[in-house]
Amino acid sequence: MRFTAEEAMERSLIDELTKNVSQWTYRDDLRTEDDLWENLRHKLNMNNKAVLDDVPLSDKEFEQVKNELSFPNFYRAAEFLAGENGIANVRVVRDDPRVGEIRLMAMNNRDIAGGSSSYEIINQYQASKTSSTDRNRIFDVTLLINGLPMIHIELKNRSTSYMDAFRQIDKYSGEGKFKGIFSSIQMFVVTNGVDTRYIAAAQKGKLNSKFLTRWVDENNKPVNNYLDFAKDVLSIPQAHKMIGQYSVLDSERRSIILLRPYQIHAIEAVQEASKLHESGYVWHTTGSGKTLTSYKVARNLLLMNSIEKTIFIVDRVDLDQQTGDSFKSYSATDVVSIDDTDNVNDLIKKLYSKDKTVIVTTIQKLNHVMRRYEGNEDSPKWKSIRGKKLAFVVDECHRAISPKRQMEIEKFFRESLWYGFTGTPIFEENAKEVFADLPRTTEEQYGDCLHKYTVKEAIHDKAVLGFQIEYKSTFTEDELRDHVDRQYNGTITDFDDLEPVEQEELIKKEAFETIGHKLTVIDQIVNKSRHKFGMHNEIGKQYSAILTTSSIASAQDYYRLFRKVINDESEVKISEQVKKRLPDFPKVAITYSISENEEHSFKNQEYMKESMEDYNEMFGTNFTLDQIGAYNRDVNHRLARKQDKYKFREEQLDLVIVVDRLLTGFDAPSLAILFMDCYPMPPHHLIQAFSRTNRLYDEGKKYGQIMTFRTPYTFEEKVKEALFLYSNGGESFVQAPKWEEAFDSFKEAFDELMHIAPNLESIDLLTEITSKKMFAKAFQAFDKKFQELQVYSDYTEEIAEQFGITNEKLEDYTAKYNNIIEEIKAESGEDDEDDDIIIDIAYEINSVSKDTVNHEYILGLIQSVMESRITQDESKERVEAKQSEIESYISDLKQSNEKLGYLVEELWKNIKQNPEKYDKEDVLILFEQLKEEEKESVVKNFAYKYAVDENDLMFVVDNFKVSSDNQLGENDLIKSRDYQAYKSRNEDAVKPMKYRRKLKENLKDVYIKEIAPLYER
């Protein structure tokens, strides 16, 4: 089968974007960086004639522009592009000292599809070497706005996956190709023609394939074809909107966020409603970025002429905790004012001002504002405030404001619109109790549903994960019967005839408050949930968990019992398997609300002091009870692990014990497990709690995992009701298979693998490419199913033994699989007609435990130490502990990969000797350069020894396939030889007839020992 060449795809894409009445202009004259800079210079001169006083920029002046627009990373570029009120200006000091400094408009995001904006397409851009060890690269298609590269598109033909295009971009990033004028890129698009995805620009090491996004239309229909995607997303004005209106800067993570399609459709639906002066609500499932969507709705409503300000209402606790942090992070470069002070006068000033801004505040503050109005009814100032055209945006719209309070505010602000956001709307089925004429459902309170995106659609789009739910009981049937007999003095004579749910109704609360019950739960968490926590993952990449309890007293009991287990003072012992994997597991904290005047306030405060002392000792912090807010924020950060600082094991929490904190509005992608020792909640609270666990994170996190420990039959019934209400008919779709189904799927995959390759020897007999693909596909299927099986608590090591699966056998099969993959790569080509056997060439095997430390983890630690030196935000002892850890990990790495280990060690020594030199450097890019230098050195020495052309040898090395006898470019390499030079350089030189074989054998050996280890993960 002959596939469409990538050049033809480029041409078709350019034709699609420039056909008919299009604002895109194809520029085939822009191919180099110098071309692009000169093009930008022309645009700055044209768009700023008045400021320049018709005197174009001189070479010296334009050098200032080049320096300012050569960004160290994509995030810094995004900060610049955000500008002031959407206008990005570049500063230039003119040659004429009488003029001084001027500001030139580089981008105006208000001029979308008009004004000063221009739109150009380039292709086959030549990205030049950035160092002597580097090489030139040719980019596919790039879209320029006002002369700056904004969207880069990498195309592959239909014979490969769009993931190959993604990996190409990641490689370019690692090579430092997105520098200079190309450092302004904000969005990547990858496609193989039939599957297309987009993702926000990020540096090497932060570009996560889990966040590749497929476009869907307003009816949630997927748009996969690259030309259809171009029509919907890359045309003008949409492409400019993606960069200017549908992106958010997260200053905390220093990353760009591009909104997903459903978020964009929701924004547009709210804007349309506002044009009609209608209110309404948006139903977006929890975990799909609802808070971010509501933030961006509030921000983009300011683009409407009919709205003077938007008021974003959040719950007071949320503003103090994670939502407040998120808003501060999003709004750092935006016209958003977060009112997190107690000064009501400030809020009144903001409401009265003529500035078009978003005000983020709480309902409590607005109550104070309305009270200040009393007695000032005739004041022009108050009349102005009451008459302003406001849009209220309410995140978690049932928690942040009550129907009664909303009606009061609506009455006060006469010209207001209301837009509520919720992941769990209240319907007739779970309506609030009747109270006077107050609204009982979401629709009654806010109006029509303007946009809907349920958990079913979110899972289908891979925006969130499904749920794997296990219902546990700490009682056997006999223990349950004995408990009921004791509680009711033997009066329940028909116990065995009752339905399970009816039996559970007879269990009194006290049964779940015993030490025995709690220790059983702790044993399950500590010793029987290794795979749930991802202990088989590399260090630092484990998952976190929450244990929710029925009361503060119960949470305190759990914390004390955990401390005893950790200190080896309990009958529950941490297993050797756990200790071997994570010697410091579990790292546990507790958080609950502290009050001043309730009956148990003093006791609760004393318990919290004790737990905070443990916490301070664990992490080198100094929190006291009067800093409870700061302590809670720190707990959130260590559990969520969003900031780079918390990517490392010593800064992480494994488990936080709560009563009701963190169960709504808490966004923590690394959080994978919710343990529940409490009774079932109402449907909307249940889904909210479950949804803490199902954020996207890494390839190993397949589900949000829930484990309950009370009344399993009752709990299952309540979960079914909640999922029926909120999954849009997809209640079975959103749940992982039951254990029995998962086991059957695993057995089927295992049997298929054994049918194809019952032993290692049989793999060596696979000679046809079809049989090799069948093995690879079967082994991938087995690996997935085996990995999924292990997260169930029913899984035990005995099951692996039953199937003859040992880690040694897995390693052997994995080694054979890796060889087969290399052979498939070498033997497959564009004419391969074997389309019915589709495999993922880049699939990573997960079943084999990863005991070694990933070198990227060590590099991340080094980056962390470098940043701490600048920010001075860590104690000397903490930094020294990290340095010691780095050296220990390097020593371990040298045991498993000597070549890579010595390179990391060399980089670390250089940084320690001259830290100032590396202050502004990206360690991952430095290391990539070091690897390239090492490879170049190996190639240079080999080329000299065998007297062959260095460039020809580099080409062979870059395309080397260990499993292949004949390498790509081999003939050209042999032709380039100078036999006489070879002979003079080698005392043991072979005769010309044996030269080719000798070179090939030696090159393979050098590649395996010297080059391949550099690229192992």
Side-chain angles (χ1 to χ4, degrees):
M1 181 181 294
R2 180 69 63 182
F3 293 97
T4 305
E6 288 165 19
E7 292 83 357
M9 291 175 66
E10 282 184 29
R11 188 69 255 170
S12 296
L13 176 60
I14 293 167
D15 289 345
E16 175 61 43
L17 289 173
T18 55
K19 73 182 183 182
N20 302 326
V21 182
S22 168
Q23 289 183 269
W24 286 114
T25 302
Y26 174 48
R27 296 289 304 271
D28 62 355
D29 58 321
L30 303 179
R31 291 288 166 86
T32 67
E33 185 164 22
D34 287 342
D35 294 340
L36 290 181
W37 281 124
E38 198 54 43
N39 182 54
L40 176 66
R41 182 176 182 168
H42 172 72
K43 292 187 183 302
L44 288 173
N45 284 329
M46 294 300 292
N47 285 336
N48 295 276
K49 283 186 175 183
V51 179
L52 291 166
D53 198 21
D54 282 331
V55 179
L57 292 165
S58 68
D59 290 346
K60 182 182 174 184
E61 289 166 345
F62 190 62
E63 278 303 313
Q64 297 175 51
V65 173
K66 290 170 72 172
N67 287 335
E68 189 165 344
L69 299 186
S70 294
F71 305 102
N73 53 56
F74 301 124
Y75 176 79
R76 288 284 292 278
E79 282 186 315
F80 168 80
L81 293 167
E84 295 178 18
N85 295 318
I87 300 175
N89 293 307
V90 59
R91 292 168 299 178
V92 174
V93 177
R94 300 232 69 175
D95 295 340
D96 185 344
R98 293 171 299 174
V99 178
E101 183 179 281
I102 59 171
R103 287 171 171 255
L104 303 179
M105 189 277 295
M107 183 83 69
N108 187 343
N109 287 312
R110 293 183 296 191
D111 283 354
I112 291 180
S116 61
S117 295
S118 65
Y119 306 100
E120 296 161 311
I121 306 172
I122 65 169
N123 72 324
Q124 294 297 299
Y125 170 79
Q126 298 161 20
S128 303
K129 292 181 178 184
T130 55
S131 68
S132 61
T133 61
D134 197 4
R135 66 211 53 180
N136 298 325
R137 298 289 187 189
I138 303 295
F139 288 178
D140 289 347
V141 177
T142 307
L143 308 184
L144 316 179
I145 301 179
N146 280 24
L148 287 171
M150 290 284 114
I151 301 173
H152 179 63
I153 306 157
E154 198 67 30
L155 302 107
K156 295 294 178 186
N157 68 36
R158 289 168 174 81
S159 69
T160 60
S161 165
Y162 66 85
M163 283 300 297
D164 284 351
F166 174 79
R167 284 185 281 270
Q168 188 78 59
I169 285 173
D170 198 41
K171 182 179 178 67
Y172 289 163
S173 183
E175 292 174 349
K177 286 292 181 284
F178 297 111
K179 287 191 173 179
I181 198 165
F182 255 84
S183 63
S184 61
I185 289 286
Q186 299 291 286
M187 172 176 165
F188 292 126
V189 177
V190 295
T191 183
N192 66 346
V194 293
D195 276 306
T196 307
R197 302 290 188 272
Y198 71 92
I199 191 170
Q203 312 305 126
K204 174 78 174 177
K206 292 189 175 182
L207 199 60
N208 187 343
S209 63
K210 293 288 280 187
F211 297 101
L212 285 167
T213 301
R214 176 173 60 184
W215 186 258
V216 297
D217 64 19
E218 57 273 14
N219 298 314
N220 213 42
K221 183 181 176 184
V223 176
N224 289 317
N225 182 276
Y226 77 118
L227 298 179
D228 294 333
F229 178 89
K231 208 178 301 179
D232 281 12
V233 184
L234 302 180
S235 60
I236 299 299
Q238 191 67 16
H240 198 157
K241 284 184 176 181
M242 291 295 291
I243 304 303
Q245 294 181 8
Y246 300 144
S247 64
V248 175
L249 302 190
D250 186 336
S251 63
E252 184 179 66
R253 287 191 258 186
R254 298 190 67 75
S255 62
I256 305 166
I257 302 171
L258 280 179
L259 299 188
R260 290 174 176 264
Y262 58 86
Q263 295 174 304
I264 293 169
H265 297 319
I267 290 169
E268 292 171 347
V270 171
Q271 286 178 327
E272 287 303 309
S274 73
K275 289 177 186 176
L276 301 171
H277 205 72
E278 293 176 351
S279 299
Y281 75 95
V282 172
W283 171 12
H284 279 192
T285 188
T286 305
S288 63
K290 176 172 50 60
T291 298
L292 176 60
T293 310
S294 58
Y295 168 84
K296 204 61 182 173
V297 161
R299 174 62 184 85
N300 283 10
L301 277 170
L302 292 180
L303 300 172
M304 312 301 293
N305 292 328
S306 59
I307 291 173
E308 295 179 69
K309 292 180 188 294
T310 52
I311 313 296
F312 197 105
I313 296 179
V314 293
D315 179 84
R316 180 169 55 189
V317 175
D318 284 349
L319 188 59
D320 289 340
Q321 299 297 332
Q322 197 184 36
T323 301
D325 290 341
S326 295
F327 275 100
K328 287 171 187 172
S329 183
Y330 300 154
S331 65
T333 57
D334 217 337
V335 288
V336 177
S337 171
I338 299 180
D339 179 42
D340 58 354
T341 69
D342 291 326
N343 192 333
V344 177
N345 289 329
D346 285 348
L347 178 56
I348 293 171
K349 278 182 189 175
K350 289 167 186 170
L351 287 168
Y352 181 61
S353 79
K354 294 182 180 179
D355 297 335
K356 231 181 173 190
T357 57
V358 179
I359 301 172
V360 183
T361 191
T362 64
I363 202 67
Q364 291 81 8
K365 294 276 189 61
L366 287 170
N367 289 340
H368 287 302
V369 168
M370 291 189 294
R371 280 203 288 272
R372 290 279 184 93
Y373 167 72
E374 293 168 10
N376 294 294
E377 289 84 350
D378 297 325
S379 159
K381 179 178 180 179
W382 282 103
K383 284 181 179 179
S384 170
I385 289 173
R386 291 195 66 194
K388 283 193 183 291
K389 294 173 181 175
L390 305 178
F392 284 87
V393 177
V394 191
D395 188 28
E396 300 296 349
C397 63
H398 292 294
R399 195 172 82 240
I401 186 169
S402 67
K404 182 174 183 293
R405 192 64 68 196
Q406 182 183 343
M407 289 174 71
E408 291 171 357
I409 295 173
E410 272 189 282
K411 189 176 178 182
F412 184 85
F413 294 102
R414 299 184 295 261
E415 297 288 328
S416 63
L417 296 171
W418 288 77
Y419 300 106
F421 282 76
T422 180
T424 48
I426 296 175
F427 303 112
E428 289 293 339
E429 293 89 335
N430 62 327
K432 296 177 180 179
E433 291 182 13
V434 175
F435 186 82
D437 61 345
L438 292 176
R440 299 176 58 233
T441 66
T442 309
E443 187 173 340
E444 288 174 8
Q445 186 172 346
Y446 289 93
D448 292 341
C449 180
L450 302 175
H451 193 263
K452 180 169 69 172
Y453 189 71
T454 71
V455 66
K456 178 184 175 183
E457 284 91 43
I459 291 170
H460 179 267
D461 292 343
K462 298 183 179 175
V464 299
L465 304 171
F467 300 113
Q468 188 241 332
I469 309 168
E470 296 186 69
Y471 306 97
K472 295 287 180 185
S473 174
T474 57
F475 302 112
T476 64
E477 288 185 18
D478 288 341
E479 287 170 340
L480 179 58
R481 189 180 293 105
D482 290 344
H483 167 78
V484 171
D485 279 343
R486 285 196 304 274
Q487 291 294 322
Y488 296 91
N489 298 317
T491 58
I492 308 297
T493 56
D494 59 345
F495 181 82
D496 291 335
D497 299 327
L498 298 175
E499 292 295 320
V501 172
E502 295 174 315
Q503 292 179 348
E504 289 175 351
E505 288 172 355
L506 298 171
I507 305 173
K508 294 196 174 178
K509 179 183 174 183
E510 292 75 21
F512 300 110
E513 299 301 335
T514 65
I515 289 178
H517 166 77
K518 287 184 167 66
L519 285 177
T520 302
V521 171
I522 290 173
D523 188 45
Q524 177 71 56
I525 293 171
V526 172
N527 292 319
K528 299 175 184 177
S529 301
R530 296 197 311 277
H531 284 279
K532 288 184 181 296
F533 278 101
M535 289 191 193
H536 56 291
N537 295 343
E538 293 157 0
I539 298 295
K541 293 188 177 180
Q542 284 66 42
Y543 308 125
S544 56
I546 287 174
L547 167 62
T548 179
T549 63
S550 57
S551 66
I552 290 176
S554 182
Q556 291 166 342
D557 287 345
Y558 263 116
Y559 183 79
R560 282 194 297 271
L561 291 170
F562 265 108
R563 293 304 306 170
K564 286 186 177 181
V565 170
I566 291 165
N567 295 329
D568 200 21
E569 299 167 356
S570 168
E571 63 190 71
V572 172
K573 304 295 180 184
I574 300 173
S575 73
E576 291 304 314
Q577 290 168 304
V578 170
K579 288 179 183 177
K580 182 182 174 185
R581 291 282 184 200
L582 290 178
D584 58 355
F585 182 86
K587 295 200 277 185
V588 181
I590 185 172
T591 177
Y592 51 81
S593 300
I594 296 288
S595 59
E596 294 291 336
N597 303 312
E598 294 176 10
E599 183 182 348
H600 300 290
S601 294
F602 178 75
K603 183 180 175 184
N604 289 343
Q605 289 175 17
E606 288 304 304
Y607 277 133
M608 182 54 77
K609 280 183 188 175
E610 290 176 21
S611 62
M612 289 172 85
E613 286 169 8
D614 294 335
Y615 189 89
N616 288 335
E617 185 178 346
M618 188 161 38
F619 294 115
T621 50
N622 296 289
F623 294 113
T624 57
L625 198 59
D626 59 356
Q627 297 171 309
I628 188 70
Y631 164 78
N632 284 333
R633 279 192 292 276
D634 200 67
V635 168
N636 292 357
H637 290 320
R638 294 184 191 280
L639 193 64
R641 306 175 190 172
K642 289 183 177 182
Q643 298 174 35
D644 287 347
K645 173 182 176 179
Y646 303 108
K647 303 292 184 195
F648 309 111
R649 176 67 194 161
E650 72 274 11
E651 302 291 354
Q652 296 173 350
L653 276 169
D654 296 309
L655 180 78
V656 176
I657 304 168
V658 306
V659 181
D660 51 17
R661 278 201 74 246
L662 307 182
L663 298 183
T664 56
F666 179 61
D667 177 40
S670 63
L671 178 65
I673 323 152
L674 176 64
F675 297 107
M676 304 184 76
D677 186 20
C678 57
Y679 291 108
M681 310 157 178
H684 53 289
H685 290 316
L686 205 56
I687 297 300
Q688 286 277 1
F690 279 20
S691 297
R692 298 314 102 209
T693 65
N694 72 333
R695 278 22 177 207
L696 300 180
Y697 186 54
D698 62 11
E699 290 298 328
K701 185 179 175 184
K702 303 296 184 186
Y703 300 104
Q705 299 173 70
I706 317 296
M707 185 177 285
T708 73
F709 294 102
R710 295 191 185 188
T711 59
Y713 293 102
T714 305
F715 227 119
E716 187 169 11
E717 285 297 316
K718 296 298 181 184
V719 168
K720 282 180 182 176
E721 290 173 16
L723 290 177
F724 177 79
L725 202 56
Y726 291 114
S727 65
N728 200 23
E731 55 271 21
S732 58
F733 180 77
V734 304
Q735 292 188 76
K738 290 186 178 295
W739 161 255
E740 294 76 15
E741 298 170 66
F743 182 81
D744 289 344
S745 294
F746 158 74
K747 187 175 183 304
E748 187 179 323
F750 176 81
D751 290 344
E752 177 64 17
L753 177 62
M754 290 299 100
H755 174 71
I756 295 169
N759 50 51
L760 295 173
E761 293 73 21
S762 63
I763 302 172
D764 296 330
L765 299 176
L766 302 174
T767 55
E768 300 294 325
I769 188 154
T770 302
S771 58
K772 290 176 182 178
K773 283 188 172 183
M774 287 173 65
F775 165 74
K777 187 174 183 180
F779 191 68
Q780 288 179 3
F782 159 78
D783 181 68
K784 287 176 185 172
K785 296 301 178 184
F786 188 41
Q787 188 189 10
E788 288 172 10
L789 192 73
Q790 292 175 76
V791 300
Y792 290 82
S793 60
D794 293 278
Y795 175 82
T796 62
E797 304 298 338
E798 287 73 28
I799 290 172
E801 292 172 11
Q802 175 188 333
F803 286 88
I805 300 171
T806 63
N807 211 52
E808 183 181 4
K809 188 173 181 179
L810 280 173
E811 288 176 356
D812 288 343
Y813 264 78
T814 300
K816 292 289 185 184
Y817 164 82
N818 289 334
N819 291 339
I820 288 287
I821 287 293
E822 288 299 321
E823 291 170 17
I824 291 170
K825 285 181 186 176
E827 294 172 33
S828 295
E830 288 195 0
D831 295 321
D832 184 11
E833 297 182 7
D834 205 5
D835 292 338
D836 54 331
I837 304 178
I838 300 170
I839 59 170
D840 180 358
I841 288 290
Y843 179 84
E844 284 193 35
I845 300 302
N846 290 297
S847 294
V848 179
S849 297
K850 300 176 179 70
D851 290 326
T852 56
V853 177
N854 185 309
H855 75 277
E856 288 183 359
Y857 178 82
I858 304 174
L859 295 174
L861 265 181
I862 294 172
Q863 187 82 58
S864 173
V865 168
M866 288 167 60
E867 289 169 0
S868 294
R869 199 187 77 80
I870 298 169
T871 59
Q872 299 289 309
D873 61 348
E874 289 189 307
S875 67
K876 182 182 176 184
E877 293 76 16
R878 200 90 183 138
V879 172
E880 286 174 353
K882 278 188 179 179
Q883 291 176 336
S884 175
E885 190 176 7
I886 287 167
E887 277 150 23
S888 173
Y889 283 148
I890 289 174
S891 177
D892 291 344
L893 180 61
K894 283 158 67 177
Q895 298 298 314
S896 60
N897 187 327
E898 189 177 25
K899 189 83 176 177
L900 212 54
Y902 276 111
L903 272 190
V904 175
E905 186 174 53
E906 180 185 340
L907 179 60
W908 175 231
K909 284 179 179 176
N910 292 341
I911 290 170
K912 283 199 298 180
Q913 286 169 5
N914 191 0
E916 293 83 3
K917 178 182 175 182
Y918 299 95
D919 274 349
K920 295 182 180 179
E921 297 288 352
D922 184 314
V923 173
L924 278 173
I925 290 178
L926 283 175
F927 189 70
E928 288 297 317
Q929 291 170 353
L930 205 59
K931 286 199 304 186
E932 288 302 310
E933 288 170 8
E934 178 65 18
K935 181 171 74 169
E936 176 128 326
S937 173
V938 171
V939 166
K940 189 172 186 175
N941 291 337
F942 190 94
Y944 177 80
K945 178 178 180 179
Y946 280 90
V948 292
D949 183 83
E950 208 173 300
N951 290 327
D952 288 338
L953 178 58
M954 185 63 82
F955 179 84
V956 172
V957 165
D958 282 343
N959 295 278
F960 202 90
K961 309 292 183 190
V962 175
S963 56
S964 178
D965 289 331
N966 298 305
Q967 302 299 331
L968 194 63
E970 182 183 305
N971 290 333
D972 289 337
L973 179 65
I974 299 298
K975 284 178 187 174
S976 75
R977 73 176 182 175
D978 180 343
Y979 180 76
Q980 292 306 318
Y982 159 73
K983 189 176 179 181
S984 67
R985 294 169 188 169
N986 295 274
E987 291 181 4
D988 59 345
V990 296
K991 294 180 179 180
M993 293 294 290
K994 294 183 178 180
Y995 173 89
R996 184 180 190 122
R997 179 186 292 178
K998 177 75 172 176
L999 179 144
K1000 287 178 66 172
E1001 288 174 353
N1002 198 193
L1003 181 57
K1004 184 173 184 176
D1005 188 54
V1006 167
Y1007 182 85
I1008 290 170
K1009 290 178 181 175
E1010 301 290 325
I1011 295 174
L1014 297 174
Y1015 299 94
E1016 288 180 7
R1017 283 188 59 93

